[in-house]
């Protein structure tokens, strides 16, 4: 395959090559390749990583994470279920020096309840928010799911399939999913959750139109497989998911004003907010959006750093490792709304077994925990590394049976889902509205950033404009960094004076020093 620039959208040839190989992963399609007999094979994540041009998350990253935060990495990171990244190092650099970044993730509300796979990036994001003490935005793309579902219905049955949903259904799904997400435990002071139908406007929509003007049809066709028949809403949608990663899309969260009814207080964003970098945790299916984004960041009027990503594998469908859980196929997924009995039934009936064909064979040859769905689920949800190791070792040896592993898996999932459902029952409409109200977020970030106040506002830590990044660090930053920071602080003071009224705004870029 031709070499692909990191961050560039895939070439048409690259996309064709992926299709030829049979493995397809994009935000709208996830499927492993088929073998010569037509059987679905497990997704080859290493191949995918290379095709996408993302980096591997290594043991060095885990060690650095522990050094920077003083905390052990989450089990999903320890077990490399989050296995790939873009610019994770830069985000850690930025946090060490300047104190905080923006976390951004999302959900496309295609049904009233999320499944366990959807919970994975949120569990990880919550841990990151708690550890780094940083602001978080969660986008609910009810508009995307409306476009997508209608597009799918139009394509099915030669256009004869009736589309019997409406915009209101997707807004209601967004509310249901919003409550699910709140029940996963996000800190209200630091979290803003929004539905696209509600929030679009102001600086966000200014960013959308500017971004749309930078992306061509051929780029979105390459990344998502859109065709002439694709509806124009879906064709343009990616711009919204991309600009949602710009801090300028949320001025109020950072103490700026927006350009919205009724006051229209501030026409355009500020560079101070544009300079805040973003980290996006998600599964690797969402990466094609952000690849396009990274290509366009520096072409926006208010330039922002390219977003960093941490990317996970998919919690596999019950049927095995060639697909992911899907909300539209209830036998492939365990939903957060499933009862204990339903969980038990689904695991017993559908979970693909990596065990021997009968007891004798299993005891003689052992099982394969790498393809056994109950073992795979335990690797996502069981906290104890020791117990997981003991289970996989005995399963491999054949001393633990498929039935026993399934039993352990059922218990663990029932425990997780029951605790979730208890919290979910307590999420009221009023609480949901509090999370969904744009307001200044309260966060502390890194209590001991090494760079002086004012530096972050000028974006000196971003990969695009920081030639000093590799420089030797003293406790206060390199000499070059200190010089740049001083200059930046001077420039900022000058700009604020010029803009007038800006002095009333609080400094959000170095919250630890407020
Ligand atoms: P959606 O609703 O398809 O998925 C929501 C999040 O869950 C991840 N995901 C999974 N992770 C592990 N195992 C699975 N089986 C699995 N299925 C889905 C997705 O990667 C995603 O992180 N357009 C997006 C919503 C969105 C978004 C974002 C997602 C808007 N902005 C920023 C991530 C980051 C969507 O429809 O996601």
């Amino acid at each position: 395959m031709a070499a692909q620039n990191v961050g560039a959208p895939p070439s048409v040839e690259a996309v064709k090559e992926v299709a030829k190989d049979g493995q397809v992963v994009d935000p709208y399609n996830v499927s492993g390749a088929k073998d010569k007999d037509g059987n679905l094979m497990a997704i080859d994540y290493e191949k995918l990583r290379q095709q996408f041009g993302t980096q591997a998350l290594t043991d060095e990253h885990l060690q650095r994470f522990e050094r920077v935060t003083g905390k052990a990495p989450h089990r999903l990171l320890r077990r490399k279920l989050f296995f790939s990244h873009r610019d994770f190092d830069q985000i850690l650099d930025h946090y060490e020096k300047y104190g905080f970044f923006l976390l951004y993730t999302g959900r496309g509300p295609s049904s009233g309840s999320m499944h366990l796979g959807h919970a994975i990036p949120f569990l990880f994001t919550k841990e990151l928010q708690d550890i780094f003490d940083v602001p978080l935005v969660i986008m609910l793309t009810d508009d995307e799911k409306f476009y997508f579902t209608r597009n799918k219905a139009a394509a099915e049955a030669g256009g004869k399939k009736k589309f019997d949903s409406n915009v209101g259904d997707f807004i209601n799904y967004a509310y249901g999913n919003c409550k699910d997400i709140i029940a996963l435990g996000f800190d209200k002071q630091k979290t803003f959750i929004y539905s696209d139908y509600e929030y679009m406007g102001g600086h966000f929509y200014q960013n959308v139109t500017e971004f749309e003007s930078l992306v061509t049809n051929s780029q979105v066709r390459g990344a998502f497989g859109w065709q002439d028949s694709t509806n124009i809403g879906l064709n343009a949608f990616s711009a919204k998911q991309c600009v949602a990663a710009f801090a300028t899309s949320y001025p109020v969260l950072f103490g700026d004003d927006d350009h919205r009814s009724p006051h229209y207080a501030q026409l355009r964003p500020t560079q101070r907010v544009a300079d805040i970098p973003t980290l996006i945790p998600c599964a690797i299916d969402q990466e094609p959006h952000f690849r396009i984004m990274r290509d366009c960041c520096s072409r926006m009027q208010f330039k922002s750093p390219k977003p960093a990503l941490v990317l996970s594998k998919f919690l596999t469908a019950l049927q095995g490792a060639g697909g992911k859980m899907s909300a539209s196929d209830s036998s492939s997924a365990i939903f957060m709304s499933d009862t204990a009995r339903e969980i038990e039934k689904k695991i017993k009936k559908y979970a693909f077994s990596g065990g021997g064909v009968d007891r004798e064979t299993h005891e003689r040859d052992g099982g394969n925990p790498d393809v056994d769905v109950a073992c795979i689920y335990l690797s996502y949800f069981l906290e104890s590394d020791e117990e997981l190791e003991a289970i996989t070792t005995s399963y491999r040896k054949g001393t633990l049976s498929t039935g026993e592993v399934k039993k352990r898996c059922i218990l663990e999932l029932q425990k997780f889902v029951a605790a979730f459902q208890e919290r979910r029952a307590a999420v009221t409409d009023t609480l949901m509205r509090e999370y969904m109200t744009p307001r200044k977020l309260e966060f502390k970030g890194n209590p001991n950033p090494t760079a002086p106040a004012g530096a972050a506002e000028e974006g000196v830590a971003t990969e695009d404009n920081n030639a000093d990044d590799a420089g030797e660090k003293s406790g206060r930053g390199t000499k070059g960094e200190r010089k740049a920071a001083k200059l930046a602080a001077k420039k900022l003071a000058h700009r604020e004076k010029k803009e007038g009224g800006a002095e009333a705004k609080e400094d959000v870029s170095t919250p630890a020093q407020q």
Side-chain angles (χ1 to χ4, degrees):
M1 176 191 277
Q4 182 190 314
N5 289 336
V6 172
S11 63
V12 174
E13 292 71 42
V15 171
K16 277 194 195 137
E17 210 157 322
V18 176
K20 200 171 63 194
D21 149 278
Q23 172 167 288
V24 182
V25 175
D26 67 39
Y28 305 96
N29 306 283
V30 173
S31 168
K34 294 212 169 123
D35 68 15
K36 58 180 176 13
D37 301 321
N39 303 313
L40 202 58
M41 297 194 294
I43 291 168
D44 183 339
Y45 285 102
E46 182 49 25
K47 193 168 190 179
L48 191 61
R49 189 184 71 67
Q50 286 176 19
Q51 279 161 350
F52 280 11
T54 60
Q55 282 78 46
L57 269 168
T58 62
D59 290 340
E60 283 71 46
H61 287 109
L62 301 198
Q63 286 153 12
R64 171 129 198 253
F65 178 91
E66 202 156 346
R67 267 201 319 276
V68 172
T69 64
K71 302 267 165 52
H74 191 273
R75 61 176 184 272
L76 294 167
L77 198 53
R78 287 200 306 272
R79 296 172 193 162
K80 308 261 174 63
L81 297 167
F82 274 83
F83 73 110
S84 184
H85 77 106
R86 285 192 196 276
D87 292 341
F88 190 49
D89 310 82
Q90 267 93 340
I91 278 290
L92 293 177
D93 286 347
H94 187 93
Y95 182 78
E96 278 192 304
K97 290 177 193 162
Y98 306 111
F100 84 99
F101 52 86
L102 171 64
L103 273 171
Y104 158 50
T105 193
R107 156 79 181 132
S110 53
S111 62
S113 168
M114 302 196 332
H115 60 54
L116 285 181
H118 296 134
I120 297 301
F122 289 102
L123 290 177
F124 186 57
T125 303
K126 173 183 156 39
E127 178 97 348
L128 293 180
Q129 183 186 46
D130 290 348
I131 289 181
F132 288 107
D133 200 343
V134 291
L136 163 67
V137 291
I138 299 176
M139 177 187 213
L140 300 170
T141 54
D142 36 15
D143 53 348
E144 174 195 25
K145 290 298 158 177
F146 171 72
Y147 295 138
F148 179 73
T149 314
R150 175 153 238 167
N151 205 66
K152 202 166 148 212
E156 276 167 12
K160 291 197 188 87
K161 191 168 176 208
K162 196 164 167 270
F163 179 65
D164 51 12
S165 305
N166 63 61
V167 168
D169 295 331
F170 292 89
I171 297 177
N172 279 321
Y173 293 155
Y175 295 156
N177 288 195
C178 180
K179 289 180 176 172
D180 284 356
I181 291 166
I182 291 169
L184 289 169
F186 292 99
D187 183 335
K188 195 173 71 185
Q189 307 296 331
K190 306 193 251 278
T191 306
F192 173 52
I193 309 178
Y194 62 96
S195 126
D196 283 1
Y197 279 121
E198 288 185 3
Y199 184 64
M200 204 63 58
H203 292 176
F204 192 124
Y205 190 61
Q206 293 175 14
N207 282 340
V208 169
T209 56
E210 193 181 347
F211 199 89
E212 281 172 346
S213 73
L214 298 173
V215 181
T216 64
N217 281 318
S218 92
Q219 277 176 302
V220 292
R221 282 177 179 216
F224 310 114
W226 300 148
Q227 298 158 358
D228 284 349
S229 58
T230 302
N231 70 49
I232 58 173
L234 204 50
N235 200 52
F237 168 74
S238 183
K240 294 177 192 140
Q241 181 152 332
C242 289
V243 304
F246 290 137
T248 50
S249 295
Y250 317 96
V252 173
L253 277 45
F254 300 103
D256 270 7
D257 286 322
D258 207 339
H259 188 249
R260 287 175 191 251
S261 169
H263 301 304
Y264 299 95
Q266 191 173 316
L267 184 65
R268 297 288 283 137
T270 58
Q271 191 58 46
R272 177 184 71 103
V273 173
D275 284 338
I276 298 169
T278 301
L279 174 65
I280 311 173
C282 57
I284 195 163
D285 58 333
Q286 301 297 317
E287 198 275 341
H289 287 293
F290 303 117
R291 204 183 308 152
I292 290 179
M293 175 175 186
R294 287 169 57 92
D295 210 30
C296 295
C297 282
S298 62
R299 294 160 68 206
M300 296 290 285
Q301 183 193 348
F302 294 90
K303 297 181 190 7
S304 288
K306 292 176 181 176
L309 306 168
V310 265
L311 301 164
S312 77
K313 298 179 179 176
F314 303 109
L315 187 71
T316 176
L318 281 156
Q319 288 72 14
K324 61 166 188 159
M325 280 192 175
S326 162
S328 57
D329 175 3
S330 85
S331 70
S332 78
I334 290 174
F335 288 87
M336 308 284 277
S337 55
D338 280 349
T339 61
R341 180 85 194 99
E342 280 165 336
I343 294 173
E344 182 181 356
K345 253 171 74 185
K346 284 185 181 179
I347 295 284
K348 282 188 173 159
K349 186 165 174 193
Y350 300 117
F352 180 81
S353 164
V357 283
D358 54 35
R359 194 170 162 177
E360 208 186 354
T361 326
H362 185 75
E363 284 175 357
R364 190 189 61 223
D365 300 339
N368 182 356
D370 301 334
V371 299
D372 186 276
V373 166
C375 286
I376 294 174
Y377 288 0
L378 281 170
S379 73
Y380 281 81
F381 288 96
L382 187 62
E383 180 57 29
S384 162
D385 291 340
E386 293 73 31
E387 191 184 350
L388 185 67
E389 175 68 27
I391 289 172
T392 47
T393 308
S394 331
Y395 195 63
R396 224 180 270 285
K397 277 193 200 146
T399 51
L400 197 69
S401 70
T402 294
E404 286 166 321
V405 173
K406 283 196 173 187
K407 200 168 155 199
R408 184 67 191 89
C409 176
I410 290 165
L411 271 182
E412 200 56 35
L413 298 187
Q414 285 175 334
K415 191 173 86 185
F416 174 80
V417 172
F420 164 81
Q421 288 175 356
E422 203 181 314
R423 293 190 306 267
R424 173 69 165 80
V427 180
T428 58
D429 285 345
T430 312
L431 183 63
M432 181 185 83
R433 275 291 150 218
E434 286 168 10
Y435 278 87
M436 295 184 86
T437 303
R439 69 227 179 266
K440 188 169 183 296
L441 297 183
E442 307 289 337
F443 52 92
K444 294 199 188 72
N446 179 356
N448 300 304
T450 56
E457 286 88 339
E458 297 302 313
V460 294
T462 68
E463 60 176 317
D464 282 336
N465 54 10
N466 183 10
D468 246 352
D469 249 359
E472 192 197 334
K473 269 185 245 160
S474 73
R476 298 155 55 226
T478 62
K479 205 173 160 196
E481 284 163 1
R482 291 202 300 275
K483 204 169 153 198
K486 233 176 168 177
L487 199 75
K490 242 179 160 178
K491 270 207 237 160
L492 181 74
H494 180 70
R495 190 191 305 155
E496 286 191 342
K497 212 169 155 197
K498 229 169 95 185
E499 282 173 0
E503 56 276 18
K505 304 207 178 2
E506 290 173 64
D507 174 6
V508 294
S509 292
T510 51
Q513 291 161 9
Q514 275 175 21

